[in-house]
């Protein structure tokens, strides 16, 4: 079922001219900045209900659905809100990393960070995907954050991809980040971009370093990881670790997080590979 991307506007605010579409603040991952630039390259693309949800990301003919305010969209080649952010990240990283409609994009296990309305918009960085709705099940719109309070969005049937103020929407719900500020890619060690580690037990993996909902399993043995971030504590007795390692688990989607607590060769809050090399930050 497609999300409507219906836009609700907050109360009247002073009119301000939207800035030129661009990365408007610093600190985001290179992939995120590239996704912003890719989204900005879509400015002026027609909105099309269901557009962008073909087998390959990119503009496509939508669905004629008068009940969702889209009576003519099967004749319009363009992008809807979730199709636009999907295409932007596809252009940025060369992979279809955020497929699906708004409600499934919000729950993506690829998120490395997640923010909610109560966190405010201060933590947001360019490239974050911002979602609108009052509950997870009623999320109806997604856009890509540019910085300084602005977003790029495919707004509604009859409209075009545009720059808007995030505050023009009255029901901001939260945001996800797909790549850490360090870029999510480690400095390659000799012989490749993977760091080999021994894990002493089967370990649950998670969609983010702060999540508590397991998304799969990394089996005991020798495994590869890519990089590390600081996250929630894993502890048993006097053993603990706050580092989380990006990896591809044996069960579950790629690009998940496992606690460095499970590394068999090192101590508390240590994250090194089997050769003693400190695993780089993401």
């Amino acid at each position: 079922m497609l999300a409507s991307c219906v836009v609700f506007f907050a109360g009247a605010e002073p009119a301000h001219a939207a800035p030129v579409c661009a990365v408007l603040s610093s600190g985001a991952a290179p992939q995120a900045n590239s996704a912003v630039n890719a989204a900005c390259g879509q400015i002026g693309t027609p909105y099309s209900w269901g557009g962008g949800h073909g087998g390959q990301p990119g503009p496509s003919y939508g669905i004629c659905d008068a009940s969702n305010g889209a009576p003519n969209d099967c004749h319009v080649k363009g992008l809807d809100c979730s199709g636009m952010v999907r295409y932007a990240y596809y252009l940025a990283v060369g992979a279809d990393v955020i497929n699906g409609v708004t409600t499934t994009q919000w729950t993506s296990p690829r998120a490395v960070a997640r923010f909610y309305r109560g966190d405010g918009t201060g933590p947001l960085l360019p490239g974050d995907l911002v979602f609108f709705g009052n509950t997870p099940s009623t999320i109806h719109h997604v856009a890509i954050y540019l910085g300084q309070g602005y977003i790029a969005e495919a707004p509604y049937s009859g409209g075009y991809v545009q720059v808007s103020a995030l505050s023009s929407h009255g029901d901001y719900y939260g945001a996800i980040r797909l790549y850490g500020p360090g870029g999510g890619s480690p400095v390659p060690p000799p012989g490749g971009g993977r760091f080999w580690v021994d894990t002493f037990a089967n370990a649950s993996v998670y969609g983010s370093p702060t999540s508590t909902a397991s998304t799969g399993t990394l089996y005991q043995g020798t495994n590869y990881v890519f990089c590390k971030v600081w996250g929630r504590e894993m502890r048993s007795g006097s053993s603990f670790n706050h580092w989380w390692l990006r990896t591809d688990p044996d069960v579950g989607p790629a690009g998940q997080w496992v606690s460095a607590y499970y590394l068999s060769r090192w101590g508390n809050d240590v994250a090194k590979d089997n050769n003693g090399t400190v695993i780089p930050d993401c």
Side-chain angles (χ1 to χ4, degrees):
M1 179 177 178
L2 294 172
S4 64
C5 300
V6 172
V7 177
F8 296 99
F9 293 93
E13 294 184 355
H16 297 285
V20 173
C21 192
V23 176
L24 298 181
S25 57
S26 61
Q31 297 96 323
N33 288 333
S34 294
V36 168
N37 291 329
C40 291
Q42 301 306 307
I43 295 293
T45 299
Y47 178 95
S48 184
W49 165 251
H53 292 282
Q56 290 293 319
S60 63
Y61 288 98
I63 298 168
C64 289
D65 185 351
S67 67
N68 278 295
N72 192 53
D73 287 30
C74 56
H75 306 294
V76 177
K77 188 175 184 179
L79 299 164
D80 70 8
C81 61
S82 50
M84 190 277 285
V85 300
R86 176 196 185 197
Y87 189 42
Y89 264 98
Y90 175 77
L91 293 175
V93 304
D96 193 8
V97 296
I98 192 65
N99 195 358
V101 297
T102 52
T103 50
T104 55
Q105 287 179 340
W106 164 251
T107 59
S108 173
R110 302 190 68 98
V112 301
R114 191 174 295 275
F115 307 97
Y116 294 88
R117 181 182 296 135
D119 299 318
T121 58
L124 300 183
L125 293 174
D128 289 352
L129 301 185
V130 293
F131 294 82
F132 301 89
N134 291 316
T135 66
S137 63
T138 60
I139 285 174
H140 59 86
H141 188 55
V142 61
I144 190 165
Y145 191 65
L146 305 179
Q148 297 183 18
Y150 287 93
I151 57 176
E153 62 174 345
Y156 43 74
S157 184
Y160 300 85
V161 177
Q162 64 185 30
V163 175
S164 304
L166 187 154
S167 61
S168 67
H169 298 269
D171 59 347
Y172 169 66
Y173 184 79
I176 64 172
R177 182 169 297 153
L178 297 181
Y179 293 88
S185 299
V187 177
R194 298 176 177 180
F195 295 78
W196 294 93
V197 298
D198 288 340
T199 52
F200 65 79
N202 291 349
S204 293
V205 298
Y206 300 85
S208 80
T210 57
S211 174
T212 57
S214 174
T215 56
T217 304
L218 185 70
Y219 291 152
Q220 174 184 356
T222 301
N223 295 285
Y224 63 82
V225 299
F226 300 106
C227 55
K228 74 179 188 302
V229 298
W230 195 257
R232 66 180 176 89
E233 182 184 81
M234 289 286 287
R235 173 182 288 272
S236 178
S238 62
S239 299
F240 63 88
N241 211 302
H242 290 84
W243 289 114
W244 287 77
L245 310 173
R246 188 93 176 192
T247 189
D248 297 328
D250 297 286
V251 178
Q256 302 299 284
W257 297 90
V258 65
S259 173
Y261 169 84
Y262 289 95
L263 299 187
S264 61
R265 301 193 180 199
W266 313 109
N268 295 334
D269 280 344
V270 176
K272 297 180 181 180
D273 71 5
N274 288 344
N275 295 319
T277 300
V278 175
I279 297 166
D281 293 340
C282 296

